Amino acid sequence: MGSHPEVVLSVHNVKKTIKKKEIIKGISFEVYAGEIFGFLGPNGSGKTTTIRMLVDLIAPTEGTITICGYDVHKQHNEAMQYVGCIVENPELYSYLSGWENLEHFARMLPGINEERIQEVVKIVGMDARIHDTVKTYSLGMRQRLGIAQALLNRPKLLILDEPTNGLDPQGIKEMRMFIQELAQTGLSLFVSSHLLSEIQQMCDRVAIISHGQVIKVGEVDALIDESASRVVWRISPKERALELLNAQNDVVVLDVSHKAEEYDSSDSSQEVHDIVTQLNPETVPVVTRQLVEAGIQLYGVETKSPTLEDLFLSLTEGKRIG
């Protein structure tokens, strides 16, 4: 992206208070040209409220939102000409064909002709079914038609709120690939989701929101690298191993599982347990040697690479997604 990427969307210290309750608590982030930016948080974290402010459906109590340099609230028309948005489900007329839907929305926009409608139909891959009635479309096709509608005015920023909601696994995969193809054209995409795996596979950068606060912003790979790996130790006896592991400065014991059944023993002192820890993988050989030298039986060591889910759970102290 270079040292000075073009900023398409800028959110600065935005707050929203509704009925004396602060819903959004001073969030800030930027979205650059040509990137897929994930907005990740559990339901109720403030994602949809934020999106409604991004497109000026509601005004922020404090702070500024700019799109392509225009203040969304103070320069509404100028800012909105650069935005396409689907909040929740796309609004479509089911008794009309896909083409007729696009014609209807095109009439509301300046300078959108039949040639442009044909262009967006091709972009979303709907050529074969565009003249069928919308009521015959699958959910994935409706989503694509909604995106076609949002692309009519040639936006620089496309905002998608939970674009894979309700889709089957194949539909989710197709939507993910489609979003990545859109980004390759230079379009910026702001994708709101509570699906960690989708954000991890799809996005370049991500903002993690919880309880109305953005608690982390960064490149997905870099954020995952920051999150320490989990290491599972299969050991016996449990108490002595825990004592040694807890004595290490850079080892955090996360969980102690029930005894491993394949090593079942009537002697409780010989029971084999799994201890889940968080630590830098580079220290695994050192800790392994200390366990063995202390006379602890080591039946296996498994390093699990961190995921966005691990990072999210550590940042939000276990608040569930979904």
Side-chain angles (χ1 to χ4, degrees):
M1 280 182 227
S3 56
H4 298 288
E6 179 190 349
V7 176
V8 174
L9 168 66
S10 175
V11 175
H12 180 67
N13 195 32
V14 165
K15 299 179 182 179
K16 181 61 180 177
T17 301
I18 299 174
K19 294 181 180 177
K20 298 185 179 179
K21 182 181 180 185
E22 194 173 41
I23 307 295
I24 303 298
K25 305 169 183 176
I27 64 173
S28 299
F29 57 84
E30 292 179 334
V31 177
Y32 305 139
E35 77 168 342
I36 306 174
F37 186 89
F39 196 48
L40 175 68
N43 294 328
S45 59
K47 299 193 303 297
T48 299
T49 300
T50 300
I51 288 175
R52 290 181 181 279
M53 288 191 287
L54 296 184
V55 294
D56 203 29
L57 289 175
I58 55 175
T61 307
E62 269 186 54
T64 56
I65 300 168
T66 60
I67 294 174
C68 295
Y70 294 103
D71 187 299
V72 163
H73 193 55
K74 294 177 182 175
Q75 299 165 293
H76 175 90
N77 291 342
E78 293 90 339
M80 289 302 106
Q81 68 181 321
Y82 294 109
V83 187
C85 180
I86 302 177
V87 180
E88 292 152 356
N89 296 319
E91 295 293 328
L92 303 167
Y93 296 100
S94 60
Y95 58 90
L96 297 177
S97 69
W99 182 272
E100 289 166 335
N101 268 275
L102 293 178
E103 280 185 324
H104 172 73
F105 289 110
R107 283 193 285 269
M108 304 179 197
L109 300 166
I112 305 301
N113 55 21
E114 189 171 312
E115 186 181 349
R116 178 56 183 167
I117 296 175
Q118 193 62 58
E119 281 177 10
V120 298
V121 169
K122 189 174 181 182
I123 289 169
V124 301
M126 290 281 291
D127 311 61
R129 297 288 306 278
I130 196 63
H131 294 292
D132 296 348
T133 55
V134 169
K135 64 185 174 188
T136 67
Y137 287 1
S138 66
L139 181 58
M141 290 170 67
R142 287 173 180 249
Q143 289 281 52
R144 282 177 179 255
L145 184 62
I147 290 172
Q149 171 198 322
L151 292 174
L152 280 170
N153 65 332
R154 300 180 179 85
K156 289 195 171 185
L157 174 68
L158 181 60
I159 298 172
L160 301 175
D161 187 14
E162 302 278 2
T164 58
N165 250 12
L167 298 180
D168 60 24
Q170 181 61 29
I172 290 173
K173 183 180 179 183
E174 289 174 2
M175 182 60 67
R176 180 171 69 239
M177 292 172 65
F178 173 52
I179 287 170
Q180 290 169 330
E181 287 168 9
L182 287 175
Q184 288 169 8
T185 68
L187 183 68
S188 302
L189 290 109
F190 179 94
V191 182
S192 159
S193 183
H194 67 279
L195 298 173
L196 292 149
S197 60
E198 280 310 302
I199 292 291
Q200 187 166 344
Q201 292 180 72
M202 189 193 308
C203 297
D204 302 303
R205 291 192 307 130
V206 63
I208 297 175
I209 184 170
S210 181
H211 299 294
Q213 293 179 293
V214 168
I215 49 180
K216 203 83 172 179
V217 181
E219 293 183 9
V220 172
D221 291 343
L223 290 181
I224 290 170
D225 287 345
E226 281 180 28
S227 179
S229 290
R230 286 179 298 161
V231 178
V232 182
W233 311 84
R234 181 155 285 188
I235 51 84
S236 178
K238 175 184 69 176
E239 285 74 16
R240 288 177 62 196
L242 279 172
E243 190 178 327
L244 192 147
L245 289 168
N246 282 321
Q248 307 291 320
N249 288 329
D250 58 349
V251 177
V252 178
V253 176
L254 300 176
D255 187 34
V256 181
S257 74
H258 297 297
K259 63 181 179 179
E261 291 180 5
E262 60 265 46
Y263 298 98
D264 199 7
S265 170
S266 55
D267 183 355
S268 62
S269 66
Q270 296 300 313
E271 287 177 356
V272 178
H273 288 78
D274 287 345
I275 298 178
V276 183
T277 59
Q278 192 173 51
L279 73 159
N280 187 323
E282 293 175 8
T283 65
V284 169
V286 176
V287 177
T288 299
R289 186 169 64 250
Q290 291 176 349
L291 288 167
V292 173
E293 288 175 353
I296 292 162
Q297 297 294 316
L298 196 57
Y299 293 85
V301 182
E302 182 185 2
T303 301
K304 297 188 174 182
S305 297
T307 65
L308 201 53
E309 183 168 15
D310 298 325
L311 174 65
F312 185 92
L313 292 173
S314 67
L315 290 172
T316 58
E317 299 175 333
K319 177 162 177 60
R320 288 186 64 81
I321 281 255

